[in-house]
Amino acid sequence: MAIHTEHTEVAHKQSFITKYIFSTDHKTIARQYLITGIFWGVVGMILSWLMRLQLAYPNQPMPILEKILGKWAEGGILKPEFYVALITMHGTIMVFFLLTAGLSGTFSNYLIPLQIGARDMAFPVLNMLSYWVFFAASVVMLASFFIQTGPAAVGWTFYPPLSALKNSIPGADLGATLWLISMALFIVSSLLGALNYITTTLNFRTKGMSMGRLPITVWGMFVTAILGLLSFPVLLAGAVMLIFDREFGTSFFVPSGLVLGGQPVPHEGGNPILWQHLFWFLGHPEVYIVAIPAFSLVGEILATNARKPLFAYKVSVGAIIGIGALSMIVWGHHMYVSGMNPVLGEVFVITTLAISFPTAILVFNYLVTIWRGNLRFTPAMLFALGFLGLFIPGALTGAFLATAPVDIQLHDTYFVVAHFHFTMATSAAFGMFAGVYHWFPKMFGRMMNDKLGKLHFWGSFIGVYLIFFPMFFQGIAGVPRRYYAFTEYNFTSQFLGLNKFITIAAFVAGAAQLLFLFNFFWSIFKGKKADKNPWKATTLEWQTDSPPPHGNWGPETPVVYRGPYEYSVPGAEEDYIPQTVPVKVETK
């Protein structure tokens, strides 16, 4: 068993800069990731509002848009090319900058050392560097909004040859270059973090903390880090190759025979399908890089608030490992319409359907965990239950898209938009919200407002269903996604009234997020002081102060004697037994 190196904690002075900015403390770095992720979430939400306004009120002038967006909304009407930029940046920001960095960066950093009994990450300076590389990626991405040609506007999947030719459209010019540079920095940041999470989990566990006693959260973050380490370098290579195609005249992705503006394109020998393989080799593990941390946070919260052990803990861990392993061999289901050999397509159909088995096992274990439990409906518990209420319909609709003959009909329709917003986007966001509400007292030493948290949940949960569930019907009717307006055809214009309804729902759901923002920042300074263990939980982080001191523990790191979910044990004095309580040895 790996055991954390023993050393005593000594008092030391820190300046404001070393404590709050260039900090090597994993807890401060986690808070930096969280607040940066919240910023990006707000940006992504505003971009989605602009898209919804265009879809609900096409060609209707809104003077306020011109005041905000300038030349991109002359006469108060959003330009088509900027609408595509909104799609590109919204997808990029939400998938990578919020749900990857904001979720894994926050909770992997915060929970892994505390829940395994370590004083910090294995490589604290590398940990600090991972955040600041992510911050640099954020600055570059944000800067692309303010350049003359505008941000990248070639779709968040960045398919060539459109993205490979700088002069194809304005949105493929400097903005696209900045997008690629930003993503390269983001991937480097993610790799630095993943190395730290894996090394810390394997080598810095405290005495008694075997792998079989790790909380489900640590297992989730550990598997996620391995996925990132295996898949992110592939997209990094693709991004570098695409930069070379754009800037230095290579032809990795640009085929011969293209004509642009009446002139032949001086490239030959490239293959745009290669980019799709490189992108989706990351792109589908990325779904689980987002989903598995949310799943693991939800499992921890359900067990704590149901006052029951996590049902079939070892099976749940095995399911997470199975999901991670299978996620590496399913990327081709995004490419059924790319001209893929049907035999190869059937292989991806089988692997994609197979991943539903460990996923279903994990969901089943969570449902049994709460069955007949003594449920406490805290905001964190509501969001954990909401995660299941969003993920389950999303996963069920995934079976349609996994099957090639059906996917060919539904590909690039609003059915896909609804599916991945249920499965990955909103469910993962609910997992993140659940984690914030649950661990906020430990992070900041104060409690969030319970009533505002519950209002936030109901506004978000109802809003998500009103926004995305109708899109399944739009997709079945053949309405294509990413279109600027749906007024040209009868089969799309019939949904104009529904688009207005969805837009109103989007603004209502957005208003619920404003409640969260107020609650979060107000509670940091004015919230009720938190106890050491307000939820009566069993894992190690709740046995230290709120917030934990530098080094997490006192002179000695804790010793673990039992598993992570000993709730409602018959004969126990209380309905929970922390991991640090020795097991009584009965003698005859």
Side-chain angles (χ1 to χ4, degrees), residues 30 33 341 374 405 422 482 528:
Y33 268 110
N341 187 308
N374 185 20
F422 269 103
R482 298 179 180 171
K528 177 186 173 183

Side-chain angles (χ1 to χ4, degrees), residues 302-489:
L302 291 176
T304 302
N305 288 289
R307 313 312 290 166
K308 285 179 61 181
L310 182 68
F311 181 78
Y313 162 80
K314 291 183 179 178
V315 176
S316 298
V317 170
I320 287 176
I321 295 171
I323 291 169
L326 287 170
S327 74
M328 299 296 296
I329 54 173
V330 299
W331 79 91
H333 68 231
H334 295 274
M335 301 171 57
Y336 290 146
V337 299
S338 68
M340 175 185 292
N341 187 308
V343 176
L344 180 59
E346 282 303 306
V347 172
F348 283 116
V349 169
I350 293 168
T351 58
T352 305
L353 292 175
I355 205 171
S356 64
F357 287 99
T359 307
I361 290 169
L362 196 57
V363 171
F364 173 80
N365 288 352
Y366 284 5
L367 293 176
V368 178
T369 298
I370 61 176
W371 175 252
R372 301 186 72 177
N374 185 20
L375 303 185
R376 302 183 309 192
F377 292 104
T378 65
M381 183 62 162
L382 289 175
F383 273 101
L385 294 171
F387 168 89
L388 295 177
L390 295 174
F391 185 86
I392 291 172
L396 290 173
T397 57
F400 294 89
L401 299 175
T403 309
V406 180
D407 178 75
I408 289 170
Q409 305 303 317
L410 297 175
H411 190 82
D412 266 346
T413 69
Y414 267 85
F415 192 95
V416 178
V417 176
H419 161 71
F420 74 70
H421 276 89
F422 269 103
T423 308
M424 182 179 78
T426 56
S427 59
F430 269 51
M432 185 174 178
F433 283 133
V436 171
Y437 281 107
H438 190 72
W439 279 282
F440 186 93
K442 188 58 59 177
M443 285 185 178
F444 298 100
R446 295 181 181 272
M447 304 294 291
M448 293 184 74
N449 185 282
D450 200 63
K451 291 182 179 178
L452 287 178
K454 291 177 179 178
L455 284 173
H456 173 219
F457 166 75
W458 288 112
S460 300
F461 187 75
I462 295 171
V464 166
Y465 262 90
L466 294 180
I467 294 166
F468 295 110
F469 201 76
M471 292 184 187
F472 285 121
F473 301 99
Q474 288 182 301
I476 292 171
V479 177
R481 61 176 176 166
R482 298 179 180 171
Y483 275 34
Y484 170 72
F486 297 110
T487 55
E488 301 300 319
Y489 306 101

Side-chain angles (χ1 to χ4, degrees), residues 80-92 141 149-180 183 242 246 275-276 279-280 412 481-482:
E81 55 266 34
F82 192 69
Y83 178 80
V84 180
L86 293 175
I87 293 172
T88 304
M89 301 304 286
H90 170 77
T92 302
M141 190 66 75
T149 52
V154 293
W156 76 276
T157 54
F158 241 66
Y159 280 4
L162 185 66
S163 62
L165 302 174
K166 294 176 64 176
N167 57 344
S168 58
I169 57 172
D173 202 351
L174 179 58
T177 301
L178 293 176
W179 188 96
L180 289 166
M183 285 305 301
L242 190 52
R246 291 167 52 83
W275 169 266
Q276 292 190 32
F279 183 89
W280 290 116
D412 266 346
R481 61 176 176 166
R482 298 179 180 171

